[in-house]
Amino acid sequence: MAILEPLTKEKTNFIKNIIEKDLKNNLFKNKLWAGYPAPSYKQNKNKIDKAKIRTRFPPEPNGYLHIGHAKSIFLNFSLALNYNGRCHLRFDDTNPDKENSEYVESIIKAIKWLGYSWDTDGENNLYYASDYFEYMFEFAESMIEGGYAYIDEQTQDEIKLNRGTLTEPGKNSPWRNRPIHESLSLFRDMRDGKFPNGHLVLRAKIDMSSPNINLRDPIIYRIRHIEHYRTKKKWCIYPMYNWAHPIEDALEGITHSICTLEFEDQRPFYDWTLNILYNLNKINKPFPRQYEFSKLNLTYIVTSKRKLLQLIEGNYVEGWDDPRMPTILGLCRRGYTPNSILNFCEKIPISKSESTIDYSILEQSLRDELELTAKRFMAVINPLKLIITNYPENKSEICYAPVNPHNPSDGIRKFNFCRELWINFDDFLENPTKGYFRLYPGNIVRLKYSYIIKCTKCIKDQNNNILEVHAEYIENTKSNTEGSNKFKVKGNITWVTQKYSSHANVILYDRLFNDPYPDSSGKNFLDYINDKSKVEAKIWLEEGIVLDHNDYWQFERMGYFKLDKKQTNHIPIINRIVTLKDSWKNSK
Ligand code: ATP
Ligand code: MG
């Protein structure tokens, strides 16, 4: 699979081209819209649609939305915004098995967090396909009456067997030509709960020898005795997705129904259904048109809801919004910004060819934003005591640093320097390796925003563990003073004072998988979990930092950080969103 490099912003894409052509041809000039989803006989009494186009984002509430969905959300909502249209949020909840209200809530929360609204201009375009069950039942009855559908009594195995293959035509069901009144009354009996699951199905009557298997009398209704999270026990028959979808689009007056490539083979059935329902006076023209684009695939993640659920149920992560999950709410909790996700979606191409985008492009999108906006602080993880032996014990001096070097207007931060400091453990080596510029006995480095120091020695316990490092500061070398350029130093060490720093818990998140293609064929993705994807530690923070939930921080030389949205105890939890540089480059 190809891994794409970052692309420049796409000015146009094939879907935009189609829309522009449609608008130029005035395709929707006479399109009616009652102000709510309805069949043609309710629309006709009403007015012309003010919206130039209508798109929809149709998630099934059977899981949380993931980064792949973000691409579809971005596409559908931004097209509506660009062309003076509307984008509907429609819950495609026609399959009661795995759907629930928690998922509905999570989807609403994720889309709102991204910044989109379906409530514009006095129209609240939030819909549930399950609200259309009555219409769907009516349409199905009408199809039976028109000779376009029949009740089949074959077993599931027989139906499968008689469907034929890609090279062989299917066989007509023995029930295909049963009298219309018989199908109609059996269909009503199905609805009335007179048969067990799977006993009968309603099938469209199209063509059992069609080269497109999806047109070989597809099933359009099945019996399922299960409570639906919204309609409860009202129905025990449920429409099949491929038949329900064009109906949902038509009822809502959708103009451009954008979906992913796996539905391409279903398009003829989509169009067939619309034509039949038009002939039966159930829906209007112009019809919604289906367009397909390729799914977003990213390296180092899995997106299938089934697999995400396996990660949760197997306790590999702590829920749908675990900061390592590729869900939108997981990314939100991790510390991603809505803009970094939308910019990422804009950067990647909209096309019909399958590709896999490197995960680092998403990370870079966040860095690009936070580089310009995040507040800088110094922080220390894995602290090592540094004592400036020639600095008086009770003395302290103020140091100055920009809040964000790109924005002078963000101001200056101030913090004390004194004798006893913390530095990061790996900023000292007793026996330096080649090219190591940081602290080692005899070396001279700058303590960032403060003095130049010379390392004198380290103190160890009897097991040879380093307990503390000693150094001497060099007078008149403080940053921003005249003498600051007196020495050229290569190392620049970040630090905090022992006296004035505060501490918190930090979680160093990293990629959940250590393989770029954890679920490619022949692999079990659970074998590729990165056991260092969540490392907990303590962090010592520069004096003056305010732990505000709205803030994004760059801890200098470390990465970008944000408070976790879920705080469990009185010591704050900070998440590392991403490191400053891509540490995965060239690995694996
Ligand atoms: P999954 O297969 O990951 O469980 P799904 O396709 O069943 O997801 P839906 O809730 O049916 O999830 O998807 C809602 C919309 O989002 C659909 O229009 C679907 O085509 C689109 N979508 C889903 N996954 C992606 C993806 N990876 N990239 C772009 N669009 C996607
Ligand atoms: Mg689906």
Side-chain angles (χ1 to χ4, degrees):
M1 265 186 283
I3 298 185
L4 297 178
E5 286 299 315
L7 293 154
T8 50
K9 267 193 187 179
E10 266 216 328
K11 294 268 180 322
T12 188
N13 61 54
F14 78 100
I15 296 176
K16 280 189 181 174
N17 294 342
I18 290 168
I19 293 177
E20 280 167 22
K21 203 166 134 214
D22 290 349
L23 290 175
K24 210 167 133 211
N25 293 334
N26 275 325
L27 227 57
F28 315 119
K29 200 175 61 178
N30 300 318
K31 191 171 88 74
L32 299 167
W33 173 240
Y36 49 84
S40 54
Y41 50 83
K42 290 196 180 169
Q43 299 280 5
N44 285 339
K45 299 187 204 93
N46 291 283
K47 338 160 232 276
I48 302 282
D49 195 351
K50 274 192 296 187
K52 296 280 180 241
I53 61 164
R54 281 183 193 269
T55 57
R56 86 286 169 270
F57 174 65
E60 184 180 358
N62 62 350
Y64 278 44
L65 298 179
H66 53 65
I67 182 74
H69 292 117
K71 180 176 175 184
S72 179
I73 293 169
F74 168 76
L75 181 63
N76 281 295
F77 279 92
S78 65
L79 285 172
L81 286 168
N82 283 345
Y83 294 102
N84 205 0
R86 303 274 185 281
C87 178
H88 299 187
L89 169 58
R90 177 204 307 147
F91 288 101
D92 218 320
D93 54 357
T94 54
N95 174 6
D97 287 270
K98 292 176 192 154
E99 299 165 355
N100 68 43
S101 315
E102 184 210 331
Y103 293 142
V104 167
E105 296 306 318
S106 77
I107 289 169
I108 290 180
K109 197 169 157 193
I111 304 176
K112 281 191 173 164
W113 178 71
L114 286 176
Y116 290 116
S117 170
W118 43 87
D119 192 351
T120 38
D121 244 4
E123 249 186 42
N124 186 359
N125 290 305
L126 172 64
Y127 302 115
Y128 295 84
S130 54
D131 284 346
Y132 311 146
F133 282 163
E134 267 329 322
Y135 289 136
M136 290 176 185
F137 185 77
E138 171 197 324
F139 291 8
E141 279 189 326
S142 179
M143 279 176 59
I144 299 171
E145 284 164 353
Y148 300 112
Y150 61 96
I151 295 288
D152 196 354
E153 287 181 39
Q154 293 181 100
T155 62
Q156 277 171 25
D157 287 344
E158 285 167 337
I159 291 180
K160 210 167 153 197
L161 199 72
N162 290 333
R163 254 183 117 199
T165 62
L166 285 175
T167 49
E168 278 170 58
K171 285 199 197 88
N172 281 353
S173 160
W175 308 101
R176 197 171 197 263
N177 290 318
R178 77 190 321 161
I180 285 175
H181 70 86
E182 211 178 282
S183 277
L184 202 55
S185 101
L186 284 171
F187 186 50
R188 289 173 183 160
D189 287 346
M190 264 169 78
R191 175 201 54 192
D192 294 341
K194 295 195 180 157
F195 306 109
N197 287 345
H199 191 66
L200 301 175
V201 289
L202 180 67
R203 296 179 74 175
K205 198 189 234 182
I206 310 180
D207 179 3
M208 287 305 289
S209 59
S210 168
N212 182 340
I213 290 190
N214 301 305
L215 292 179
R216 293 183 191 167
D217 292 8
I219 295 172
I220 60 182
Y221 256 103
R222 65 193 174 124
I223 302 172
R224 192 90 186 87
H225 289 273
I226 186 171
E227 195 169 314
H228 184 280
Y229 78 102
R230 291 186 85 237
T231 59
K232 306 294 176 201
K233 292 194 170 134
K234 178 153 188 223
W235 298 91
C236 63
I237 56 170
Y238 291 94
M240 300 301 283
Y241 176 85
N242 293 321
W243 179 75
H245 204 86
I247 295 177
E248 295 159 20
D249 284 345
L251 290 171
E252 291 179 23
I254 299 301
T255 54
H256 300 83
S257 177
I258 301 163
C259 62
T260 37
L261 273 181
E262 70 270 25
F263 294 104
E264 197 168 22
D265 291 346
Q266 291 289 350
R267 193 175 349 117
F269 181 50
Y270 182 101
D271 293 338
W272 181 90
T273 302
L274 294 175
N275 260 309
I276 296 297
L277 293 173
Y278 176 77
N279 292 337
L280 294 168
N281 294 320
K282 298 297 179 194
I283 63 162
N284 272 328
K285 279 186 178 175
F287 293 156
R289 297 289 306 267
Q290 177 182 303
Y291 301 98
E292 308 88 18
F293 71 103
S294 62
K295 276 198 169 184
L296 166 64
N297 301 307
L298 270 183
T299 57
Y300 292 100
I301 63 167
V302 298
T303 53
S304 134
K305 289 176 204 160
R306 186 176 53 82
K307 290 176 186 162
L308 295 178
L309 204 55
Q310 260 178 283
L311 288 169
I312 296 165
E313 285 169 352
N315 291 321
Y316 296 96
V317 295
E318 282 146 34
W320 284 100
D321 70 345
D322 184 291
R324 291 164 295 173
M325 288 284 263
T327 54
I328 296 177
L329 293 181
L331 291 166
C332 162
R333 192 171 151 202
R334 172 87 164 248
Y336 271 80
T337 63
N339 271 340
S340 64
I341 295 174
L342 298 179
N343 284 336
F344 167 74
C345 290
E346 185 162 33
K347 223 182 268 176
I348 53 181
I350 307 243
S351 76
K352 277 186 170 284
S353 48
E354 288 284 352
S355 62
T356 299
I357 308 287
D358 197 86
Y359 194 77
S360 62
I361 298 180
L362 177 64
E363 294 178 326
Q364 193 53 40
S365 178
L366 183 74
R367 289 191 194 105
D368 288 347
E369 179 181 348
L370 294 186
E371 167 66 20
L372 300 177
T373 57
K375 295 181 177 172
R376 269 53 167 177
F377 288 99
M378 290 197 286
V380 168
I381 297 174
N382 272 332
L384 175 60
K385 202 179 258 190
L386 171 67
I387 299 182
I388 311 298
T389 48
N390 61 342
Y391 199 84
E393 241 170 76
N394 294 322
K395 188 174 171 182
S396 61
E397 279 172 84
I398 302 282
C399 302
Y400 303 90
V403 173
N404 181 317
H406 299 284
N407 302 318
S409 62
D410 286 356
I412 296 287
R413 49 191 229 262
K414 296 179 192 162
F415 44 89
N416 282 285
F417 171 79
C418 52
R419 178 183 160 95
E420 300 198 350
L421 311 174
W422 295 119
I423 60 168
N424 283 299
F425 213 93
D426 60 3
D427 279 341
F428 174 81
L429 269 189
E430 194 183 8
N431 300 304
T433 47
K434 196 165 174 269
Y436 186 86
F437 298 126
R438 289 171 274 166
L439 270 187
Y440 54 87
N443 196 28
I444 290 181
V445 300
R446 173 173 298 284
L447 289 173
K448 210 166 176 196
Y449 310 119
S450 177
Y451 285 102
I452 288 177
I453 58 166
K454 179 172 184 181
C455 182
T456 49
K457 63 175 177 183
C458 65
I459 311 275
K460 297 200 274 191
D461 66 11
Q462 65 265 49
N463 297 324
N464 223 19
N465 295 315
I466 297 171
L467 297 178
E468 58 187 52
V469 174
H470 288 193
E472 289 175 357
Y473 85 107
I474 302 173
E475 273 186 62
N476 299 322
T477 58
K478 194 161 170 258
S479 298
N480 303 315
T481 62
E482 269 178 31
S484 65
N485 290 328
K486 228 168 20 190
F487 294 84
K488 278 266 167 281
V489 292
K490 284 190 175 162
N492 222 341
I493 305 284
T494 43
W495 53 277
V496 298
T497 58
Q498 292 187 26
K499 190 169 170 190
Y500 300 102
S501 62
S502 57
H503 77 270
N505 292 327
V506 70
I507 305 182
L508 303 171
Y509 285 114
D510 203 345
R511 298 182 185 180
L512 184 56
F513 295 101
N514 52 27
D515 185 286
Y517 305 105
D519 61 349
S520 62
S521 67
K523 282 184 182 168
N524 176 0
F525 67 104
L526 296 174
D527 294 340
Y528 298 92
I529 302 272
N530 173 11
D531 58 12
K532 297 193 189 67
S533 64
K534 178 179 181 180
V535 174
E536 299 182 41
K538 270 205 163 33
I539 188 163
W540 278 256
L541 302 163
E542 182 183 307
E543 133 186 36
I545 185 168
V546 178
L547 298 182
D548 185 319
H549 270 284
N550 295 317
D551 282 351
Y552 294 84
W553 306 297
Q554 184 196 95
F555 293 154
E556 300 191 23
R557 297 171 60 222
M558 285 184 196
Y560 294 101
F561 293 78
K562 180 147 178 52
L563 265 190
D564 195 300
K565 287 177 182 64
K566 289 186 188 162
Q567 298 290 335
T568 45
N569 57 25
H570 58 282
I571 302 182
I573 301 170
I574 293 173
N575 294 339
R576 179 175 72 194
I577 325 172
V578 67
T579 50
L580 272 194
K581 291 202 188 98
D582 182 2
S583 54
W584 290 78
K585 216 175 192 169
N586 306 325
S587 68
K588 309 278 172 315

